[in-house]
Amino acid sequence: MVAMGEGTGADGGRTIDLHAHSAVSDGTESPAELVRSALAAGLDAVALTDHDTVAGWHEAMAAARGTSLTVVPGLEISTRHEGLSVHLLAYGIDPSPSTDLARRLVRVRDSRLTRAERMVERLGADYPITWSGVIEVAESHGVTAGSIGRPHIADALVAARVVPHRAAAFEGVLSGASPYYVRYEGIETATAIAAVHEAGGVAVAAHVLSEGRGRRRVQDSQVCELAELGMDGIEIDHREHTEAQRERLRHLAERLGLIRTGGSDYHGSGKPNRLGENLTAPDQFDALMRRVQAPK
Ligand code: AMP
Ligand code: FE
Ligand code: FE
Ligand code: ZN
């Protein structure tokens, strides 16, 4: 399932970015374009981790065939632990639609869709955007069968000249504290970890200390709880973690026996994050991939 063994090999110098999005969710490049960008950035491996969907895997892997790039098949699952939002990166799962995880992800994507429609309804009362307009732009990027989110609503607000770019929309009308904001249903983190394992994959908590407006941070004690539930790793090197936070998380990870990862959280032109700006050490990547079970 997981393509391995390519890259620059045992010298330990492989550049591995375990967090990137395509336009199948809220990135702006198709999976094939993402592969080309990853090659241009000099990466040896990139994980495609679209939100709540594996719909981009096939295209990305086909595009990487015959090149020096390893595509690690992944996704970023929207979960909740004790009322907190936890983005759970999963790698190497069985992508078949019959797993418990796949069934739960269908519900998350459905909930994303209804939620986005309700947000656009609210926004449409005050701003010149429509649901059909949002869907049209999102589908033109390739989100069909993928996963829709606030960034697509942001694109419609940019097109309508309400805001200059996605980030401005997130600072205002799309923020969690905005009256236009509507929640969607994530999976309980404990349930998601179990479902990822059942599907043969590994689970890594993404950017636990990143802070949106009105968003509470995951506490160390909660990272411990997730580790006790069998979570495999934690994303430490991420743009939204300061150097001091990374240092602290590294100690926490060592104490809990968690694998330490890093990634860019690339979203194409949708965010300033550049491919390869944060990386996963080869030994940590190898440890993670050793835990991926062969499909049953
Ligand atoms: P949602 O999952 O629909 O609630 O939207 C959250 C997504 O919006 C995250 O996955 C981020 O990639 C994206 N996002 C959050 N803040 C910003 C920002 N300031 N600029 C661009 N994208 C953002
Ligand atoms: Fe995103
Ligand atoms: Fe995330
Ligand atoms: Zn992400």
Side-chain angles (χ1 to χ4, degrees):
M1 182 68 261
V2 176
M4 281 202 300
E6 294 171 5
T8 50
D11 62 8
R14 288 170 291 160
T15 52
I16 302 158
D17 182 339
L18 286 187
H19 193 161
H21 297 264
S22 78
V24 162
S25 65
D26 58 359
T28 59
E29 296 175 350
S30 70
E33 284 164 351
L34 171 67
V35 164
R36 285 192 284 278
S37 297
L39 282 162
L43 294 181
D44 294 306
V46 68
L48 176 61
T49 53
D50 277 310
H51 297 284
D52 303 308
T53 180
V54 300
W57 286 14
H58 183 77
E59 181 184 324
M61 288 184 156
R65 210 161 289 140
T67 74
S68 59
L69 184 77
T70 298
V71 170
V72 181
L75 74 162
E76 183 173 10
I77 307 172
S78 308
T79 77
R80 297 195 76 77
H81 182 66
E82 294 167 356
L84 286 173
S85 161
V86 175
H87 283 185
L88 193 71
L89 293 161
Y91 304 101
I93 60 153
D94 167 6
S96 113
S98 62
T99 62
D100 178 49
L101 178 64
R103 281 192 293 270
R104 291 179 187 278
L105 289 170
V106 171
R107 290 205 285 274
V108 176
R109 293 195 298 271
D110 281 351
S111 170
R112 279 180 163 283
L113 199 61
T114 3
R115 168 274 196 142
E117 192 171 0
R118 283 175 60 203
M119 282 189 72
V120 173
E121 235 169 61
R122 291 185 184 185
L123 284 159
D126 296 327
Y127 300 100
I129 63 165
T130 62
W131 180 235
S132 58
V134 170
I135 288 292
E136 197 180 311
V137 174
E139 287 188 347
S140 75
H141 287 152
V143 83
T144 317
S147 137
I148 198 154
R150 281 182 285 168
H152 302 102
I153 306 175
D155 290 345
L157 292 166
V158 173
R161 298 178 188 280
V162 176
V163 288
H165 40 67
R166 279 186 179 183
F170 274 91
E171 281 156 25
V173 290
L174 295 183
S175 89
S178 150
Y180 303 104
Y181 183 82
V182 177
R183 266 187 52 177
Y184 66 99
E185 283 308 313
I187 306 170
E188 278 297 314
T189 313
T191 309
I193 292 171
V196 165
H197 286 159
E198 195 190 302
V202 291
V204 174
H207 53 68
V208 287
L209 298 181
S210 72
E211 230 180 343
R213 202 179 288 181
R215 183 160 173 247
R216 279 179 301 139
R217 276 202 198 132
V218 175
Q219 302 297 309
D220 286 8
S221 60
Q222 292 169 317
V223 174
C224 296
E225 287 163 20
L226 298 178
E228 274 165 29
L229 289 168
M231 187 174 71
D232 300 274
I234 183 164
E235 185 182 54
I236 290 174
D237 289 306
H238 184 279
R239 170 181 280 256
E240 288 159 40
H241 291 170
T242 65
E243 198 42 62
Q245 289 175 328
R246 295 178 195 205
E247 193 52 31
R248 209 169 56 69
L249 283 179
R250 251 178 242 127
H251 285 122
L252 183 64
E254 272 164 25
R255 185 156 68 76
L256 298 172
L258 291 170
I259 293 168
R260 305 178 299 277
T261 75
S264 62
D265 209 352
Y266 181 68
H267 282 71
S269 59
K271 276 188 164 186
N273 312 30
R274 295 297 92 195
L275 278 168
E277 68 173 33
N278 280 293
L279 297 169
T280 299
D283 66 322
Q284 298 297 300
F285 175 61
D286 293 342
L288 200 67
M289 290 304 116
R290 274 196 298 274
R291 292 202 190 180
V292 173
Q293 296 159 27
K296 290 179 196 103

